[in-house]
């Protein structure tokens, strides 16, 4: 084995050719630059199936070793996920530190994390990634050879390291579970306030934070770099006419987003899963925008947000050439969806063009995020009354002479369906829905809107 260097800014990039190699190579170069690496050279590999030993063929591994020497690289970056064995074998062969795509993204996230929660999430992902790569990771273990007075603990050191890593992972998971509980309480409070949540999602560097600042004036960090925003930010957005939503700026997605990173950011991504509307921000200038849209949809399905209503906002329309966008270069526009609600809006968060259309589109979707219902709750149904207060925004509650409460409340359709299913609400609804509601089978006693 070799002594791993303490620095690693001069990088040799190893690209694996794919059908969209041009855009993928450019994205990987941006990833390396975002991590602080200086590209000293590049090697292309077009093998169809990965080699179990080096991922690349033996001849290409020799080429990488020669390139490391010629460009004096300190680290080799692979644009693919490597197994621990492949990473270890490559390091021994090229005598240089080797990092795969997953480790590179984790390093960028470690640099971007600024809040306590963000640092915990990144550390958890890093430790889970590291736990499979502890074997023969340091040269001092190699030097513990046999002989009188030279026999060291050997593999005991590895077992100690693994035990310490596992212990730290358990501690972080417990703390993140506490974060999840706090976020759940915050979401419940927002639900009671009657303000729906709209989450900005999209590929990294698509302009989500710029759009977020344009809509809310929050002033969050923006930049022409990957993963400029890591920690989520929530702000109130007034839509006019007394309507408002809570707008959430979330972390950007990317091709081959590591699964352990998705798991570590579960508490943060729940904001996306529980949102009533997803505003999918798309970089309209990206040559592979169709593939990026599919990548975002894949991640949304993975975190359980695939069924959340979605509005596409094609950003950076001012930078498009003639004929590149339906509404024309620099001119905002919209495409109709189901009913009066648009399915896509073209705008520019940088110049402000089309922002009024974005707000109008969110308002049209927000009109269906809440339904208004009226129920007459008798005094014997105290638990049902409490369940309504917990799940809905009670607009008005009038006490009647017999002790009953005439409640007018606004509630999300999904929460209303759960409340109707799990409680006896159907028996006490008033208004046009009451006849249909009474046809429901008698449910169990009131229990709330969980589910």
């Amino acid at each position: 084995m070799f002594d791993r260097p303490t620095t690693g800014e001069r990088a040799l990039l190893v690209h694996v050719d794919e059908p969209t190699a041009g855009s993928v190579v450019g994205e990987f170069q941006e990833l390396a630059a975002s991590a602080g690496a200086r590209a000293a050279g590049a090697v292309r590999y077009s093998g169809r199936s990965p080699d179990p030993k080096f991922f690349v063929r033996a001849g290409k591994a020799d080429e990488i070793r020669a390139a490391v020497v010629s460009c004096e690289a300190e680290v080799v970056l692979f644009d693919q996920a490597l197994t621990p064995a492949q990473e270890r074998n490559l390091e021994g062969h090229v005598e240089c530190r080797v990092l795969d795509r997953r480790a590179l993204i984790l390093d960028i996230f470690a640099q971007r994390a600024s809040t306590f929660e963000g640092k915990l999430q990144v550390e958890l992902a890093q430790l889970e990634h590291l736990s499979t790569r502890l074997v023969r990771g340091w040269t001092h273990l190699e030097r513990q050879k046999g002989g009188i007075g030279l026999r060291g603990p050997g593999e005991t050191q590895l077992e100690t390291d693994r035990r310490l890593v596992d212990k730290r992972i358990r501690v972080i998971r417990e703390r993140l579970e506490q974060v999840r509980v706090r976020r759940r309480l915050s979401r419940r409070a927002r639900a009671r306030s009657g303000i729906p949540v709209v989450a900005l999602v999209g590929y990294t560097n698509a302009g989500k934070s710029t759009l977020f600042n344009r809509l809310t004036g929050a002033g969050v960090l923006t930049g022409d770099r990957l993963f400029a925003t890591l920690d989520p930010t929530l702000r109130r957005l007034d839509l006019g006419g007394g309507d408002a939503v809570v707008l959430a700026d979330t972390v950007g997605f990317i091709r081959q987003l590591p699964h352990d990173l998705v798991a570590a950011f579960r508490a943060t991504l729940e904001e996306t899963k529980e949102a009533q509307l997803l505003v999918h921000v798309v970089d309209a200038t990206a040559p592979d925008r169709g593939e990026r849209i599919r990548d975002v949809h894949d991640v949304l399905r993975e975190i359980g947000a695939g069924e959340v209503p979605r509005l596409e906002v094609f950003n950076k329309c001012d930078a498009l050439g003639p004929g590149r966008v339906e509404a024309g270069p620099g001119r905002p526009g919209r495409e109709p969806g189901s009913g009066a609600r648009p399915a896509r809006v073209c705008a520019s968060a940088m110049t402000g063009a089309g922002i009024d259309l974005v707000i109008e589109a969110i308002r049209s979707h927000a009109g269906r995020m809440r339904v208004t219902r009226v129920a007459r709750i008798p005094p014997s149904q105290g638990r049902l009354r409490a369940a309504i207060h917990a799940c809905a925004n009670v607009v008005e509650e009038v006490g009647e002479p017999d002790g009953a409460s005439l409640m007018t409340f606004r509630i999300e359709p999904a929460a209303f369906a759960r409340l109707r299913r799990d409680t006896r609400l159907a028996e006490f609804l008033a208004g046009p829905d009451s006849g249909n509601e009474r046809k429901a089978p008698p449910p169990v006693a009131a229990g709330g809107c969980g589910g």
Side-chain angles (χ1 to χ4, degrees), residues 342-424:
R344 179 180 299 170
V345 176
C346 182
S348 172
M350 183 64 68
T351 65
I355 295 300
D356 55 336
L357 296 179
V358 175
I359 296 177
E360 178 186 344
I362 294 176
R363 184 190 300 117
S364 65
H365 282 269
R368 297 182 60 88
M369 295 180 192
R370 294 268 167 171
V371 294
T372 301
R373 294 292 183 265
V374 179
R376 186 180 183 277
I377 309 300
S380 60
Q381 295 296 321
R383 292 181 61 189
L384 175 57
R385 178 177 174 274
I388 295 175
H389 275 280
C391 299
N393 175 32
V394 179
V395 179
E396 184 181 26
E397 184 173 4
V398 179
E400 297 188 346
D402 60 352
S405 298
L406 188 63
M407 303 177 66
T408 304
F409 56 93
R410 291 178 58 81
I411 189 171
E412 302 170 18
F416 178 71
R418 289 194 297 266
L419 191 64
R420 182 182 58 185
R421 180 192 67 213
D422 299 337
T423 70
R424 298 178 58 189

Side-chain angles (χ1 to χ4, degrees), residues 373-376 406 425-435 438:
R373 294 292 183 265
V374 179
R376 186 180 183 277
L406 188 63
L425 177 63
E427 301 177 17
F428 309 110
L429 285 172
D433 291 335
S434 59
R438 288 196 180 95

Side-chain angles (χ1 to χ4, degrees), residues 81-313:
L82 302 176
T83 66
Q86 290 169 343
E87 185 177 305
R88 187 168 61 251
N89 293 335
L90 279 168
E91 287 185 343
H93 187 74
V94 304
E95 296 185 352
C96 179
R97 186 168 179 82
V98 176
L99 295 178
D100 63 358
R101 180 185 181 88
R102 179 183 295 124
L104 183 61
I105 295 177
L106 289 177
D107 184 82
I108 297 174
F109 272 63
Q111 297 178 41
R112 301 286 193 266
S114 59
T115 65
F116 174 72
E117 177 188 352
K119 292 177 180 178
L120 280 180
Q121 292 168 328
V122 171
E123 184 181 358
L124 174 61
Q126 286 179 319
L127 289 176
E128 290 179 336
H129 180 71
L130 176 66
S131 62
T132 61
R133 287 163 165 77
L134 290 177
V135 179
R136 298 178 65 84
W138 296 272
T139 55
H140 72 275
L141 301 179
E142 177 78 4
R143 295 184 182 129
Q144 292 171 354
K145 302 182 183 301
I148 299 175
L150 298 177
R151 294 185 178 91
E155 292 299 312
T156 303
Q157 178 65 50
L158 298 175
E159 295 169 359
T160 301
D161 292 334
R162 187 173 291 112
R163 183 169 60 253
L164 292 175
V165 168
D166 291 341
K167 180 179 179 181
R168 179 61 179 168
I169 288 176
R170 288 195 299 271
V171 171
I172 294 177
R173 284 177 175 170
E174 291 175 357
R175 293 181 178 178
L176 286 177
E177 184 60 31
Q178 297 174 1
V179 172
R180 290 190 66 197
V181 172
R182 289 196 296 269
R183 286 189 177 276
R184 192 180 303 119
L185 293 175
S186 298
R187 286 194 296 270
R188 188 174 299 173
R190 289 197 298 267
R192 286 197 298 267
S193 69
I195 302 180
V197 177
V198 176
L200 297 179
V201 300
Y203 211 82
T204 181
N205 206 25
K208 296 185 303 300
S209 296
T210 304
L211 179 61
F212 184 80
N213 289 338
R214 175 69 66 174
L215 292 171
T216 65
V220 301
L221 175 66
T222 60
D224 187 15
R225 56 179 182 172
L226 302 183
F227 302 114
T229 300
L230 179 59
D231 301 302
T233 306
L234 287 82
R235 292 290 187 275
R236 179 187 175 97
L237 172 62
D238 291 320
L239 302 176
D243 294 329
V245 297
V246 173
L247 196 63
D249 184 21
T250 62
V251 62
F253 303 145
I254 197 170
R255 180 180 62 93
Q256 297 180 8
L257 190 65
H259 291 280
D260 48 2
L261 195 60
V262 173
F265 277 73
R266 181 179 57 175
T268 299
L269 294 176
E270 280 183 352
E271 297 291 346
T272 301
K273 179 181 176 181
E274 300 296 332
Q276 285 74 54
L277 175 67
L278 301 181
V279 176
H280 181 183
V281 183
V282 181
D283 183 356
T285 64
D288 59 338
R289 66 186 186 189
E291 297 175 9
R292 294 188 175 194
I293 291 174
R294 287 193 294 271
D295 290 336
V296 172
H297 290 178
D298 291 341
V299 177
L300 290 176
R301 282 193 297 268
E302 184 177 349
I303 65 176
E307 302 301 323
V308 180
R310 200 171 306 155
L311 167 68
E312 286 187 352
V313 174

Side-chain angles (χ1 to χ4, degrees), residues 7-22:
T7 61
E9 295 183 350
R10 289 181 58 83
L12 175 69
L13 308 184
V14 179
H15 305 286
V16 178
D17 286 339
E18 296 182 0
T20 56

